[in-house]
Amino acid sequence: MNSTLSQRQERSLLDDPRTCQTIALNHRRNKAQDHTGEIDAVAARFEYAACRDEWWNPESYSLLYGTALWDGATAAQRRLLNHLYWVAYYAQIISAEIATILLNQTSAAGLASLEDFRPICDTLDLETAQERGHIQAFKTIGEAVEAELFGERLFTYPMRSMYAETMLFAETDRIRSFWKGLQLRAFSLLSSGNAFIGCQYFTVRGLRTLNGKMVQHALAAPASRAADPAATPIPSQISRLHFIDESFHFTSSCIISRDVLRSLHPPTPFERWVANRALRGCQRDHFHFSVAIKGIFWHDPALFSTIYRLLRSPAFDMDDRDAREMLRRCFTEESAGLHEAHRIHREAVESYRAYVAPLDYVSPDNREMRLMAQSTLDGYLARTRAALARFSPA
Ligand SMILES: [Fe+2]
Ligand SMILES: [Fe+2]
């Protein structure tokens, strides 16, 4: 910032050399190890036939692990559930990363409305390009698997905008999703012209990445622990490479949402309100937990028809009665899988509280993650039981 000429701001990021150094270091390291080319090359070689007999994730990261379906499945079906966890999990990550691509850029524009923010914008440009590579790899594999196994989509979807929906299997209806689309449009516009709101987006992104890290650390383990990661199945390799990229993204979320915040003016009441609305939205998105995909906060009743189709497919070959009975046992009874999904949700609540603890502007409601903390096992069972009683396959 040129201090001889008049400026709109008295403080500058350059007054905080430590933060400037950490931003530069994180960017330099991410650029030096950038895996985009490797992810592209590995995904392009994917053939389901070459790795369909192998485990892609640790065994417990399988669709409906620890439920009646898992207990009664053959070895081949269990491997299939393992592959489908990968497909479903990263289908949700695609949706989150579509949003990241847009909001990285609008927030960078908001931050660039002040002097001296170029290094952060450069960091975000690199991360955005990486997300495009991630999306393409997840999509290539997910679609290839579903085409081969089912000839139709179960968890994947054609490319779409962030405004369509950020959670794949959410508790929503047309009015709610229209309203959410409006809120997202408002937030992206506000972040593009306001440094505080742009900066605060990284609190939400940090929380979402924190949740991602919990699962992705486990998904990356098979390739990370292998003597030769390149010899592991391609989806396992992608989990590892993605996890490394995301570690840098998490670091930049932490730096921007906490350290950079100190170089900005304290927020106005309106800015606080917007920031807390966004955190509240994150709590709402992460309210539910899913027995089907532990660590992803889907609303399981929204999954019934997809899981029903899976059970009726040649992979499980159930008739209508058996498929409905299996839905009942998996989604409306307590199981080891359900307890584990609930435990991970509680762990997320704790880690989110720790993440926002140093931020002054956060309301008590968001500080304690009160909404998310109301998500209980009994509530889950009451909701799935009521929804299953109304369920009829499309
Ligand atoms: Fe990513
Ligand atoms: Fe990311």
Side-chain angles (χ1 to χ4, degrees):
M1 185 165 73
N2 188 316
S3 54
T4 312
L5 302 176
S6 67
Q7 300 287 3
R8 288 197 304 122
Q9 61 199 86
E10 319 84 66
R11 300 189 219 178
S12 161
L13 191 57
L14 301 181
D15 299 330
D16 181 358
R18 237 184 58 142
T19 299
C20 290
Q21 272 166 17
T22 49
I23 292 165
L25 186 69
N26 191 52
H27 184 217
R28 206 165 51 238
R29 284 195 183 152
N30 191 7
K31 206 154 73 175
Q33 62 82 51
D34 183 17
H35 289 117
T36 308
E38 199 179 342
I39 291 178
D40 286 347
V42 169
R45 288 203 309 274
F46 178 75
E47 273 176 52
Y48 190 38
C51 57
R52 68 182 298 161
D53 295 330
E54 294 178 81
W55 292 88
W56 296 356
N57 318 315
E59 192 177 274
S60 73
Y61 288 83
S62 298
L63 193 77
L64 288 157
Y65 179 80
T67 65
L69 182 68
W70 175 264
D71 292 342
T74 64
Q77 287 169 334
R78 286 184 173 191
R79 273 195 301 275
L80 179 84
L81 293 171
N82 191 257
H83 304 161
L84 289 179
Y85 183 103
W86 196 101
V87 170
Y89 180 82
Y90 287 115
Q92 174 58 46
I93 298 303
I94 290 174
S95 185
E97 297 192 343
I98 287 173
T100 304
I101 287 173
L102 175 67
L103 291 168
N104 275 355
Q105 296 307 315
T106 57
S107 301
L111 288 163
S113 67
L114 298 180
E115 314 291 325
D116 308 325
F117 271 85
R118 183 174 164 201
I120 292 182
C121 300
D122 291 346
T123 299
L124 294 173
D125 285 348
L126 172 61
E127 293 183 6
T128 300
Q130 288 175 330
E131 302 298 17
R132 291 197 184 96
H134 300 164
I135 289 172
Q136 190 175 340
F138 300 147
K139 201 171 158 58
T140 303
I141 292 175
E143 290 183 347
V145 171
E146 290 189 342
E148 191 153 331
L149 285 175
F150 311 111
E152 61 169 348
R153 294 183 186 277
L154 287 192
F155 300 102
T156 64
Y157 46 91
M159 275 308 272
R160 60 193 198 189
S161 90
M162 161 180 98
Y163 304 117
E165 184 51 80
T166 48
M167 293 296 284
L168 287 193
F169 293 89
E171 183 180 13
T172 191
D173 52 37
R174 281 171 68 180
I175 294 173
R176 268 197 261 190
S177 89
F178 176 73
W179 176 234
K180 190 171 168 188
L182 280 183
Q183 288 177 311
L184 285 169
R185 282 178 166 84
F187 187 81
S188 56
L189 270 178
L190 287 168
S191 62
S192 69
N194 181 303
F196 173 80
I197 294 173
C199 193
Q200 190 281 332
Y201 159 63
F202 293 91
T203 309
V204 175
R205 201 188 82 167
L207 291 179
R208 288 177 179 271
T209 317
L210 192 59
N211 170 42
K213 264 171 79 105
M214 290 161 59
V215 173
Q216 290 168 30
H217 179 72
L219 299 185
S224 305
R225 291 201 193 119
D228 177 13
T232 61
I234 282 177
S236 315
Q237 294 180 46
I238 290 176
S239 291
R240 171 180 164 268
L241 298 169
H242 183 249
F243 180 67
I244 302 171
D245 280 356
E246 288 304 326
S247 304
F248 289 98
H249 300 187
F250 183 63
T251 304
S252 53
S253 290
C254 293
I255 300 170
I256 303 171
S257 63
R258 293 170 178 172
D259 303 335
V260 170
L261 193 70
R262 291 195 298 269
S263 299
L264 303 181
H265 265 293
T268 63
F270 174 71
E271 289 167 341
R272 274 172 192 267
W273 179 79
V274 172
N276 278 295
R277 289 289 296 187
L279 284 171
R280 175 88 182 167
C282 184
Q283 283 202 69
R284 200 174 298 122
D285 277 354
H286 291 189
F287 178 83
H288 295 293
F289 48 90
S290 170
V291 70
I293 310 282
K294 66 174 177 185
I296 283 271
F297 301 137
W298 285 347
H299 179 53
D300 275 352
L303 260 181
F304 288 171
S305 61
T306 302
I307 301 296
Y308 177 85
R309 281 193 287 138
L310 169 66
L311 299 176
R312 296 295 308 271
S313 76
F316 287 92
D317 203 25
M318 291 185 191
D319 63 17
D320 173 67
R321 225 189 52 165
D322 288 350
R324 283 166 181 271
E325 173 60 9
M326 187 53 84
L327 286 183
R328 190 192 64 74
R329 293 176 65 197
C330 291
F331 289 103
T332 70
E333 285 182 350
E334 282 191 47
S335 62
L338 184 60
H339 282 276
E340 178 62 3
H342 183 221
R343 186 193 65 74
I344 293 180
H345 188 268
R346 285 199 315 265
E347 199 177 303
V349 171
E350 287 309 319
S351 60
Y352 291 9
R353 283 175 179 157
Y355 189 95
V356 300
L359 303 172
D360 294 337
Y361 65 83
V362 176
S363 69
D365 187 66
N366 284 324
R367 188 172 289 285
E368 290 158 32
M369 299 286 153
R370 285 180 193 159
L371 180 66
M372 265 183 93
Q374 283 166 23
S375 185
T376 62
L377 210 61
D378 287 345
Y380 173 93
L381 291 170
R383 275 188 300 275
T384 52
R385 284 170 188 166
L388 197 67
R390 291 192 304 269
F391 174 70
S392 70

